[in-house]
Amino acid sequence: MARPIIADIDLDALCHNYAVARRIAPRSHAMAVIKANAYGHGAVACAKALAAVAPAFAVASLEEAESLRESGILQPILLLEGIFDTDELARVEALGLWQVVHSDWQLNAVLNYSPARPLTVWLKLDSGMHRLGFDSASFADRWAKLQAAGDRVRDLHLISHFASADQADPSQFERQWQTIESVRQQLEAPLCIANSPATLAKPRTHGHWNRPGIMLYGSNPLEGALPDGMSLKPVMTLRSRLIAVQTLPMGEPVGYGGRWHTSRPARIGIVAAGYGDGYDRHAADGTPLLVDGQRCPLVGRVSMDMLTVDISHLPDAGVGSEVVLWGRGLGVDEVARHCDTIGYTLLTGLLPRVPRRYLVP
Ligand SMILES: Cc1ncc(COP(=O)(O)O)c(C=O)c1O
């Protein structure tokens, strides 16, 4: 038998979550963000599953877009950071990609390029996150330059990114939104602003386009609960099995460094999953797992290929018992909290050695 770890990817759940993003923003187009291998889920499979409903996709690099084109994805694909080198423009044009322009060197590259068909450009406003984009003082000038580019550029949109639309404290979000609003009113620019948290909780930011990412995979990006009546389905369920069981007396250490000791006689299950698969080594004692569908606490440090779980209260569990590390029945966000991280990093961090099994509708 092969090593039993596997990630089940429920493409029906992905389509359900995409439909939620559409339903809560019915007047916006939803561009499905499938960068970083669709947050670890497999970009090609996810794009194919969404191809019938999603009018566009967003990725982080030309290479990510190329692999989608090679697999037959025809939709427009937005490069969220634009080109990294002027040489890439010819490929962008040949593949019919959309590009963000966030810097003057990119702007000049576009303005100096003579495409056979107009390039679609999304001009990035730095509305206060201070990561990428033109500040509000210089944005109108760059917008005007692109507008004056005649038939070399078309479909200009204003794109910007929120730093804290997920947080309960709205102060930074409000400052960013005011900046976006004032630039938008001045230029009458169509907007592409809302990431998942803004799509879910800030309806006033819904623009001509939205850019939901993490919510498509079933993780709740908000600091609090999802708005009433809204439910997302986990797309990835990471499963493995117990490959051994240790019966230990009280006072015995378990795992590297002896971080955890039995405080009573205990049965410890050894799970075929570790940080070499992408399970977070920072998972604290008590991080939940499901063993035969029952919640059990992780105990001791996560190793590269294994981790340990206290199954003392499950006398029937043994070698071969199924273990869910996150997914259906155990939200990735809950696991992430025990690892002092966020669902994004657990999902995106799943390593290539874990086989993905696609469950099709
Ligand atoms: C520029 C940009 N747009 C959209 C997204 C999607 O954000 P989320 O996954 O929070 O929906 C990201 C995610 O990192 C991003 O960097």
Side-chain angles (χ1 to χ4, degrees):
M1 195 183 87
R3 192 163 172 267
I5 190 164
I6 193 157
D8 279 335
I9 309 293
D10 181 347
L11 296 173
D12 206 18
L14 179 72
C15 294
H16 165 90
N17 298 335
Y18 182 83
V20 172
R22 286 285 298 109
R23 202 166 53 244
I24 48 180
R27 286 193 291 279
S28 305
H29 301 295
M31 179 184 298
V33 180
I34 55 169
K35 64 193 171 116
N37 200 24
Y39 294 45
H41 295 68
V44 168
C46 290
K48 285 186 172 170
L50 290 171
V53 285
F57 296 107
V59 298
S61 69
L62 181 60
E63 290 73 21
E64 290 184 340
E66 275 174 335
S67 100
L68 293 169
R69 282 284 181 265
E70 277 158 22
S71 70
I73 296 300
L74 301 172
Q75 269 88 342
I77 303 171
L78 176 64
L79 302 177
L80 287 167
E81 288 147 49
I83 54 169
F84 294 92
D85 192 291
T86 306
D87 293 350
E88 293 184 346
L89 272 182
R91 291 295 290 151
V92 167
E93 184 189 5
L95 296 175
L97 306 178
W98 295 347
Q99 63 187 305
V100 163
V101 164
H102 61 74
S103 294
D104 275 324
W105 76 264
Q106 290 176 327
L107 181 76
N108 292 332
V110 167
L111 294 177
N112 291 327
Y113 186 76
S114 301
R117 324 171 263 170
L119 299 170
T120 300
V121 171
W122 301 61
L123 192 63
K124 183 117 182 187
L125 171 69
D126 177 7
S127 53
M129 184 170 182
H130 301 322
R131 198 171 64 173
L132 291 181
F134 298 96
D135 64 20
S136 53
S138 52
F139 191 85
D141 170 70
R142 306 314 190 272
W143 184 268
K145 284 186 172 138
L146 286 165
Q147 276 191 320
D151 58 8
R152 275 174 296 156
V153 172
R154 67 163 182 212
D155 282 345
L156 259 183
H157 279 73
L158 186 165
I159 185 166
S160 194
H161 196 54
F162 289 121
S164 49
D166 54 321
Q167 285 167 25
D169 175 354
S171 45
Q172 187 184 17
F173 163 78
E174 291 298 347
R175 279 198 302 279
Q176 283 197 258
W177 179 239
Q178 274 169 23
T179 303
I180 293 165
E181 266 290 86
S182 68
V183 174
R184 181 183 73 89
Q185 277 167 16
Q186 186 196 346
L187 301 174
E188 293 182 2
L191 293 187
C192 177
I193 309 287
N195 54 0
S196 295
T199 300
L200 288 163
K202 311 279 188 204
R204 76 196 126 125
T205 68
H206 296 171
H208 191 59
W209 286 90
N210 293 339
R211 303 191 310 275
I214 192 74
M215 66 174 288
L216 304 181
Y217 309 102
S219 162
N220 171 12
L222 302 174
E223 239 176 34
L226 287 172
D228 275 353
M230 212 172 277
S231 82
L232 299 172
K233 296 184 181 174
V235 176
M236 180 192 295
T237 298
L238 181 61
R239 302 175 191 282
S240 190
R241 291 191 182 275
L242 296 186
I243 57 168
V245 174
Q246 295 276 351
T247 303
L248 299 175
M250 190 179 110
E252 284 298 310
V254 171
Y256 281 118
R259 178 178 80 179
W260 186 87
H261 288 71
T262 53
S263 57
R264 45 166 167 68
R267 287 180 78 235
I268 303 299
I270 318 300
V271 185
Y275 64 78
D277 302 298
Y279 193 91
D280 197 322
R281 184 177 172 277
H282 300 104
D285 294 328
T287 303
L289 297 114
L290 299 180
V291 177
D292 287 340
Q294 306 294 316
R295 289 172 77 94
C296 298
L298 177 137
V299 291
R301 257 188 207 141
V302 174
S303 328
M304 187 182 292
D305 312 309
M306 287 169 273
L307 55 81
T308 35
V309 59
D310 188 350
I311 55 167
S312 302
H313 61 299
L314 299 181
D316 295 336
V319 172
S321 285
E322 195 194 59
V323 179
V324 169
L325 298 119
W326 64 66
R328 211 176 283 178
L330 178 62
V332 70
D333 302 313
E334 182 182 354
V335 177
R337 280 191 290 278
H338 286 267
C339 304
D340 196 17
T341 187
I342 50 177
Y344 294 73
T345 65
L346 296 187
L347 296 172
T348 309
L350 193 71
L351 292 169
R353 85 168 178 184
V354 178
R356 274 69 165 173
R357 177 168 62 189
Y358 291 95
L359 314 175
V360 284

